[in-house]
Amino acid sequence: MENIILPNIPDLHKIDVYELHGGYKALRKALEMKPEEVTDEVKKSNLRGRGGACFPTGLKWTFMPKQTMKPKYLCVNGDESEPGTFKDRQIFEFNPHLLIEGTLIACYAMGIHTAYIYIRGEYGKWVKMMEKALADAYAKRYVGTQILGTGFSTEIVIHKGAGAYICGEESALMNSLEGERGYPRVKPPFPAQVGVWGCPTTINNVETISNVPHIINNGWEWYSKIGAPKHPGPILVGVSGHVNKPGVYEMPTGVPLLDIINKYAGGVIDGKSIKAVIPGGSSTPILRGDQLDGVCMDADSMKAAGSAVGTAGVIVMDEDTDLIQVLTRIAKFYYHESCGQCTPCREGTGWLWKIMKKFERSEARKEDIDLLLDIANNVEGNTICALGDAAAWPIQAMLRRFRDEFEKRVKPEIVRVETGAVA
Amino acid sequence: MAKITVDGQQYEVDPKLTVIQAAAQQGIEIPHFCWHPKLSVAGNCRMCLVEIEKMPKLAIACATQVADGMVVKTKSEKVINAREAVMEFLLINHPLDCPICDEAGECKLQDYSYKYSVGYSRFEHDKVHKPKRIELGPRVMLDVERCIMCSRCVRFSDEIAKQPVLTFTQRGDHVVLTTFPDTQLDNPYSMNVIELCPVGALTSRDFRFKSRVWEMSSTESVCNGCARGCNTNIWVRNNEVLRLTPRFNDDVNSYWMCDEGRLNTFKFVNSEKRLSGPFVKKNGALTRVGWDEAIAEAVSQLKTFKKSEMAGIGSAYATNEDNYVFQRLMKETIGTKNVDVVPHVKEGDEDDILIRADKTPNMLGATEVGVKPADGGLSLKGILQGIADGGIKALYVLEDDIASIPEIAAVLPNLQLLIVHSSVQNKTTEMADVVFSCSTYAEKHGTLTNFQGRVQRIRPAVSTIEQDRALDGFSMSRWDKFASRNDRWGRPNKRDARPSWRIASAVASALGAKTRYNTAEDVFQEMATRIPAYKGLSYLKVGSRGAMIQHSSKTVSSRPTVSV
């Protein structure tokens, strides 16, 4: 399959090049359809969100109220901050107009007249690139009032985050957008009822939205046949760690993890064996290197293997990797990024990290292994948003699959040996 | 109505309620820190996690709406484990400095530690350190280390006090409560965050380190700072009022009171200017005398004037009982028609939360019980004119420092006789011929009627020489009960003061009146039979939340402001 999200076309980020290769054709086509037909097309395509939860996109769109006096909003989530994940950045850089076109189609389908593209604060360079692309799209009347001479109008606003991982959580993103502190909101109400500015809102990931023009151009049947049937379409996989060719690779869903590592990413450096793989960004449960056979990059396969697709950020660790150090670093990340709003995550993430540091220094006690698991279990499922879960899962999985690594770091007990009387 | 099951028991509840509200209505307390009935739902403390059948995870009771057929478990193993986990998390970075914390004894975190925690911690690392002794505003002190980030204070400031100056900064367990740059927490209701705070993070700069809470007794009372009549508790240790706190009454003040009422309506009770015992002017100087002598002096002097030469000024600060007996003394025993009351209205000093422009707690009550001119009698304006003209020669004043008003002070020297009831030495007592030392609102039983027409009870919290805490049914602290004679607590500073109704009644008796009252309740019972607006009321009916009088349409706010 040829790349469709990130095709190998030089200067595709320029609007005339994009147009030359069929750009904004899907928008024209969509505007000739009824909005609900567009939604239906996306629904039938089985497109599932690429932001981590794999939620059916078309279904999400139908949650938006049709009869409402309030304005509706679309938020395109480009806060990409999960360690190991760097795919949306490629879209901002190499195919920004695909994202803009998808955004416009989504707005049309849901009757939205304002869309926000929320980009993480650290992506300064890519914010500028998106701003340039958006200005070009405005200049050509693809965005703004009476798009392409139709009665449909939509404004797109690019919003730069201020550097907090939590603002990628959809409700914290909305608070951040409103100028409030980046605290996740208690759900329900869900964004489709009460979202940005208290109005119905849909939040979709950058990559998710970038699939939409292709679905409209080629039809849902074509799309639904790409990759894994229940989780179809192209997927951007970011591979990092001990591989020869780290990078973002576009592929159909359902590619075996070992093929991703060996065929796409050029195999493990120096031909070493794989100790462990984190398949979907740092929060997804770690997999043992000897358990990778048959594990594929789609929701069902990953779930069966005891992990998740997440944001398809594959972190490969070779046989010499100190997993305790890896986990300590991951624990530190979630501790640093916990927003501090609700108790279990605010207090638990720091505690987990402090215990991990003991393991890192080989100063832990045997009981600390169970304590670690207990704290992780006490955080998981008891918080306002999924950050608590994201902090707990890597620890739970590591303890489940690499308990021996922890045991090795327990400080040896000083044992008093009865020596008996020696003359 | 929605049928729900809580811990195996079925209830019918309003479907608009959340689980925590529905449970509370049925008398089931689901433990919580951040939830408060009068604030928006924050859902951050996670203490109210409950198990709801058909829900995959535990749900927070504060943010989950009830639904027909819902089955809630608040005591299942899963719930108890989650609760213990939340308590453990809350305590790992908490300083656990209860022995030096003002909140100890009335601390939700401390109480819940006993009720819902395992009693030990598995945390053995360094705690996070945060700023302490932060002056959040002129009246509130912050200790961030004790804060559990429940955000009640933030929501109160935003939603109730309408002064959105509080916020959190930093993230994770480094979160810090603070004010926005160049702002401080100084709204007129700022001190309510102290009770809202479930821990000792926010404390009163006035009360800090004054007393452990269990050393004080707490007595239900009513604030005398304005016509709202906020329900309060008076906190007393060693016969000294140390603080006032608001007491919930949804019809009057909700859970709140203003800082002015809280800070500036009790200090006079402890003041060094308090009068102890009656005084009579001898050779131009006020001289301490016995009660009998003072009453005899007042009576003999009053007898030298014609009825039309005398006038009485009641008090919007005194109780209904005081005013009622006073107006009977003036109108029936002394026989003058010239009776009125001085209003104390600060135009513009009011808001749409609690604060009223009328700075007295009982203006409506005073007039309703008869402190107003009899037919053909002089009103306040006429009385003052009469004093200026020389027509009014004797004036009897109940609990009001009328000489602090310059226009009144200017005419008072014309009087030949000035009798005053006062609890403190003030400008009026300095000009008086006879001064009766009367009890403050904190030392007597009685009722006050607020601007709504709600009669509310006050009770003695501080004892006078005549009273004994144990014998007279005062609320008692541990110290009251257990202090020995050689303790400081065993020798409280008691003042020789009597309630005004008792003094007025004694004066009336000395003048030949037949009625005698033994208690304030006796007075109230007579009011209930004689005054139509009080018909059917009793102390029992008034209770701790008050009862409405059927008052004539004349309310305080419709009274013209007297400019004298």
Side-chain angles (χ1 to χ4, degrees):
Chain A
M1 194 193 103
E2 275 195 29
N3 284 2
I4 58 171
I5 305 293
L6 297 173
N8 192 11
I9 299 166
D11 289 339
L12 188 59
H13 65 281
K14 292 180 177 165
I15 194 160
D16 3 331
V17 178
Y18 183 71
E19 285 174 316
L20 204 67
H21 289 85
Y24 290 106
K25 242 173 68 186
L27 175 63
R28 283 176 209 280
K29 190 176 170 187
L31 290 177
E32 283 165 14
M33 297 160 72
K34 284 184 188 159
E36 48 274 26
E37 286 170 354
V38 176
T39 304
D40 211 40
E41 199 75 13
V42 174
K43 209 172 159 184
K44 283 184 190 156
S45 77
N46 270 338
L47 168 63
R48 291 166 72 168
R50 300 289 194 255
C54 299
F55 193 83
T57 306
L59 181 64
K60 195 187 238 185
W61 289 8
T62 63
F63 294 160
M64 289 290 269
K66 297 209 170 48
Q67 309 293 330
T68 175
M69 298 297 287
K70 289 181 174 176
K72 295 185 264 189
Y73 295 97
L74 173 69
C75 293
V76 180
N77 189 347
D79 192 55
E80 174 166 85
S81 317
E82 181 89 345
T85 305
F86 39 92
K87 62 189 180 67
D88 296 339
R89 191 178 69 189
Q90 305 302 100
I91 297 173
F92 295 143
E93 182 163 348
F94 295 105
N95 209 350
H97 288 288
L98 182 66
L99 174 61
I100 293 169
E101 191 176 3
T103 303
L104 293 166
I105 296 168
C107 287
Y108 176 71
M110 290 181 274
I112 290 167
H113 304 292
T114 307
Y116 297 99
I117 300 177
Y118 188 105
I119 303 174
R120 75 179 289 197
E122 290 86 340
Y123 279 4
K125 177 183 160 189
W126 292 274
V127 169
K128 285 207 176 74
M129 287 173 147
M130 278 307 298
E131 280 170 349
K132 170 76 172 79
L134 184 63
D136 292 346
Y138 261 104
K140 290 219 166 183
R141 305 294 298 271
Y142 289 121
V143 193
T145 48
Q146 297 183 338
I147 293 166
L148 296 171
T150 66
F152 181 66
S153 306
T154 285
E155 303 292 334
I156 297 179
V157 179
I158 290 172
H159 186 97
K160 191 179 165 192
Y165 170 76
I166 193 61
C167 291
E169 195 281 337
E170 59 180 23
S171 59
L173 182 148
M174 297 189 298
N175 273 346
S176 167
L177 206 55
E178 290 179 14
E180 297 286 326
R181 187 172 159 81
Y183 267 175
R185 298 178 182 175
V186 174
K187 282 157 267 186
F190 292 97
Q193 280 88 48
V194 183
V196 175
W197 318 113
C199 299
T201 303
T202 293
I203 298 118
N204 286 132
N205 171 258
V206 166
E207 186 188 341
T208 313
I209 287 291
S210 301
N211 276 275
V212 170
H214 293 293
I215 295 169
I216 298 303
N217 265 336
N218 302 304
W220 65 267
E221 281 184 297
W222 167 83
Y223 186 88
S224 65
K225 283 178 187 135
I226 303 169
K230 287 184 180 168
H231 184 195
I235 187 166
L236 300 183
V237 179
V239 190
S240 60
H242 300 130
V243 289
N244 285 310
K245 291 198 304 178
V248 174
Y249 298 96
E250 181 178 334
M251 62 189 76
T253 53
V255 173
L257 205 50
L258 285 172
D259 284 0
I260 294 173
I261 296 165
N262 293 321
K263 293 187 179 159
Y264 285 85
V268 179
I269 298 170
D270 295 337
K272 286 183 186 172
S273 65
I274 300 169
K275 186 171 192 178
V277 174
I278 295 174
S282 61
S283 66
T284 54
I286 197 166
L287 295 169
R288 287 180 72 95
D290 54 15
Q291 291 177 333
L292 300 179
D293 269 343
V295 179
C296 301
M297 190 52 87
D298 65 82
D300 292 339
S301 177
M302 279 295 173
K303 199 178 169 194
S307 191
V309 170
T311 44
V314 178
I315 304 169
V316 181
M317 289 160 273
D318 72 17
E319 56 193 274
D320 297 331
T321 311
D322 177 357
L323 290 182
I324 295 297
Q325 204 183 342
V326 170
L327 190 60
T328 308
R329 187 62 191 82
I330 290 174
K332 185 180 181 183
F333 174 79
Y334 290 108
Y335 172 41
H336 186 252
E337 296 298 342
S338 168
C339 78
Q341 184 183 197
C342 68
T343 309
C345 175
R346 178 183 67 235
E347 306 293 342
T349 51
W351 194 2
L352 289 170
W353 174 64
K354 284 170 182 172
I355 297 174
M356 281 312 300
K357 276 202 304 186
K358 276 173 79 180
F359 279 103
E360 198 180 27
R361 293 192 304 259
S362 297
E363 286 172 5
R365 291 172 315 179
K366 208 162 166 254
E367 304 88 272
D368 288 333
I369 299 175
D370 291 333
L371 178 60
L372 205 56
L373 182 62
D374 205 37
I375 298 167
N377 291 344
N378 285 342
V379 174
E380 189 203 6
N382 289 339
T383 53
I384 292 176
C385 81
L387 195 145
D389 302 341
W393 289 332
I395 288 171
Q396 291 166 332
M398 193 76 91
L399 282 163
R400 198 158 58 237
R401 301 197 169 117
F402 293 96
R403 198 178 170 99
D404 53 327
E405 298 275 328
F406 291 87
E407 283 161 354
K408 275 187 240 163
R409 303 296 265 272
V410 169
K411 192 178 181 180
E413 277 180 52
I414 299 165
V415 181
R416 228 176 261 278
V417 182
E418 292 293 330
T419 55
V422 176
Chain B
M1 297 302 265
K3 276 185 190 154
I4 62 165
T5 307
V6 182
D7 296 333
Q9 199 76 22
Q10 284 206 351
Y11 303 98
E12 284 207 1
V13 299
D14 180 350
K16 287 194 204 83
L17 298 179
T18 57
V19 173
I20 206 168
Q21 288 171 326
Q25 276 190 2
Q26 306 301 332
I28 304 162
E29 201 212 292
I30 296 174
H32 57 273
F33 289 103
C34 68
W35 179 75
H36 188 278
K38 296 288 176 186
L39 300 175
S40 63
V41 170
N44 60 40
C45 76
R46 317 307 285 179
M47 192 63 189
C48 71
L49 283 168
V50 291
E51 196 175 345
I52 296 173
E53 273 183 17
K54 291 176 195 156
M55 285 198 187
K57 299 194 287 187
L58 297 180
I60 45 173
C62 66
T64 308
Q65 208 178 325
V66 298
D68 200 36
M70 187 181 262
V71 179
V72 182
K73 292 175 191 164
T74 76
K75 288 170 187 147
S76 70
E77 197 186 333
K78 238 172 130 181
V79 173
I80 289 169
N81 284 345
R83 224 174 252 167
E84 286 174 358
V86 170
M87 284 306 301
E88 186 179 38
F89 283 136
L90 284 173
L91 292 170
I92 63 172
N93 282 309
H94 189 81
L96 304 175
D97 58 345
C98 311
I100 57 155
C101 179
D102 267 316
E103 191 82 358
E106 54 183 10
C107 172
K108 227 173 164 62
L109 188 62
Q110 196 182 42
D111 293 350
Y112 281 5
S113 291
Y114 286 97
K115 276 172 112 168
Y116 304 112
S117 174
V118 293
Y120 60 88
S121 174
R122 298 174 293 177
F123 183 81
E124 45 189 22
H125 305 268
D126 289 340
K127 287 174 187 277
V128 176
H129 289 292
K130 294 183 187 178
K132 296 175 93 74
R133 291 177 297 280
I134 305 299
E135 292 170 5
L136 217 46
R139 297 175 287 278
V140 180
M141 192 71 94
L142 166 67
D143 182 324
V144 190
E145 285 188 348
R146 293 177 185 156
C147 176
I148 60 165
M149 291 58 142
C150 72
S151 79
R152 277 180 167 193
C153 55
V154 179
R155 285 174 283 145
F156 174 83
S157 304
D158 292 0
E159 296 161 16
I160 308 287
K162 312 278 184 205
Q163 191 203 25
V165 296
L166 294 179
T167 189
F168 291 115
T169 59
Q170 309 297 324
R171 286 195 305 240
D173 58 20
H174 285 72
V175 163
V176 170
L177 174 71
T178 186
T179 46
F180 287 108
D182 301 323
T183 65
Q184 54 173 346
L185 182 70
D186 57 0
N187 67 70
Y189 297 91
S190 69
M191 295 181 79
N192 289 294
V193 301
I194 296 161
E195 282 89 41
L196 276 175
C197 183
V199 294
L202 299 173
T203 50
S204 162
R205 292 179 66 181
D206 182 66
F207 174 70
R208 258 160 71 85
F209 308 134
K210 290 245 171 82
S211 173
R212 309 313 318 235
V213 295
W214 55 86
E215 293 172 357
M216 297 181 288
S217 62
S218 122
T219 307
E220 292 188 353
S221 188
V222 171
C223 177
N224 67 354
C226 83
R228 169 72 57 180
C230 289
N231 291 205
T232 59
N233 279 308
I234 303 178
W235 296 79
V236 170
R237 185 189 67 179
N238 194 27
N239 217 35
E240 190 183 353
V241 182
L242 294 183
R243 67 171 182 179
L244 300 181
T245 54
R247 178 166 59 88
F248 175 70
N249 188 335
D250 219 5
D251 295 318
V252 180
N253 58 306
S254 183
Y255 290 90
W256 330 119
M257 76 185 293
C258 73
D259 294 357
E260 174 72 20
R262 182 193 297 252
L263 290 177
N264 297 330
T265 63
F266 74 85
K267 289 185 180 158
F268 79 97
V269 177
N270 310 329
S271 147
E272 290 187 357
K273 292 207 161 171
R274 277 298 298 276
L275 297 170
S276 191
F279 290 80
V280 169
K281 194 164 266 178
K282 288 182 180 170
N283 306 323
L286 281 173
T287 311
R288 173 81 160 79
V289 296
W291 284 94
D292 292 343
E293 186 184 342
I295 290 166
E297 178 70 17
V299 167
S300 72
Q301 290 212 37
L302 282 167
K303 281 181 176 164
T304 63
F305 297 96
K306 288 187 212 154
K307 289 177 180 179
S308 60
E309 290 173 340
M310 294 185 281
I313 292 179
S315 171
Y317 298 107
T319 63
N320 290 324
E321 290 77 354
D322 296 331
N323 278 298
Y324 173 75
V325 177
F326 173 75
Q327 62 87 30
R328 279 203 70 185
L329 164 68
M330 295 312 298
K331 289 179 179 172
E332 296 174 28
T333 312
I334 292 174
T336 177
K337 294 174 176 172
N338 310 323
V339 178
D340 209 347
V341 59
V342 180
H344 296 270
V345 177
K346 269 195 195 167
E347 288 296 339
D349 183 14
E350 61 190 317
D351 61 27
D352 51 10
I353 303 174
L354 296 175
I355 298 169
R356 307 286 303 176
D358 177 1
K359 298 304 169 198
T360 63
N362 198 33
M363 190 61 180
L364 183 57
T367 51
E368 285 286 347
V369 300
V371 177
K372 54 191 168 192
D375 282 344
L378 296 172
S379 66
L380 177 61
K381 209 173 171 184
I383 292 167
L384 294 175
Q385 191 60 50
I387 298 170
D389 296 346
I392 299 291
K393 297 189 170 97
L395 186 66
Y396 196 133
V397 181
L398 189 71
E399 299 187 36
D400 197 341
D401 186 17
I402 58 170
S404 64
I405 300 167
E407 293 85 337
I408 298 182
V411 299
L412 291 182
N414 291 355
L415 287 168
Q416 291 173 22
L417 174 63
L418 177 60
I419 301 174
V420 174
H421 287 207
S422 182
S423 56
V424 291
Q425 196 185 332
N426 57 31
K427 288 194 172 121
T428 312
T429 60
E430 279 165 21
M431 300 172 94
D433 300 290
V434 178
V435 178
F436 292 111
S437 58
C438 63
S439 307
T440 64
Y441 75 101
E443 292 152 335
K444 63 186 174 189
H445 285 286
T447 57
L448 299 167
T449 307
N450 81 349
F451 78 101
Q452 301 162 309
R454 179 169 292 274
V455 184
Q456 308 192 96
R457 278 198 64 187
I458 59 171
R459 295 163 183 78
V462 172
S463 56
T464 58
I465 270 177
E466 294 185 334
Q467 299 160 311
D468 180 276
R469 298 194 73 82
L471 296 178
D472 292 342
F474 280 55
S475 86
M476 306 271 276
S477 70
R478 281 172 56 96
W479 292 110
D480 293 326
K481 288 176 198 161
F482 303 121
S484 66
R485 280 198 174 277
N486 42 9
D487 276 338
R488 199 150 58 88
W489 279 273
R491 290 176 277 113
N493 179 18
K494 289 187 176 187
R495 293 160 190 101
D496 187 7
R498 293 177 182 178
S500 279
W501 62 264
R502 193 187 291 280
I503 301 166
S505 177
V507 172
S509 291
L511 283 165
K514 296 274 181 295
T515 320
R516 291 195 75 106
Y517 310 94
N518 289 321
T519 64
E521 197 169 1
D522 287 350
V523 181
F524 193 84
Q525 271 171 9
E526 186 178 297
M527 285 160 53
T529 55
R530 289 203 179 185
I531 304 166
Y534 285 77
K535 205 179 160 193
L537 288 181
S538 65
Y539 272 13
L540 197 67
K541 274 201 176 149
V542 170
S544 56
R545 296 284 164 88
M548 296 295 285
I549 56 165
Q550 293 121 28
H551 61 94
S552 44
S553 59
K554 195 164 67 174
T555 63
V556 176
S557 48
S558 66
R559 270 180 69 98
T561 313
V562 175
S563 47
V564 286

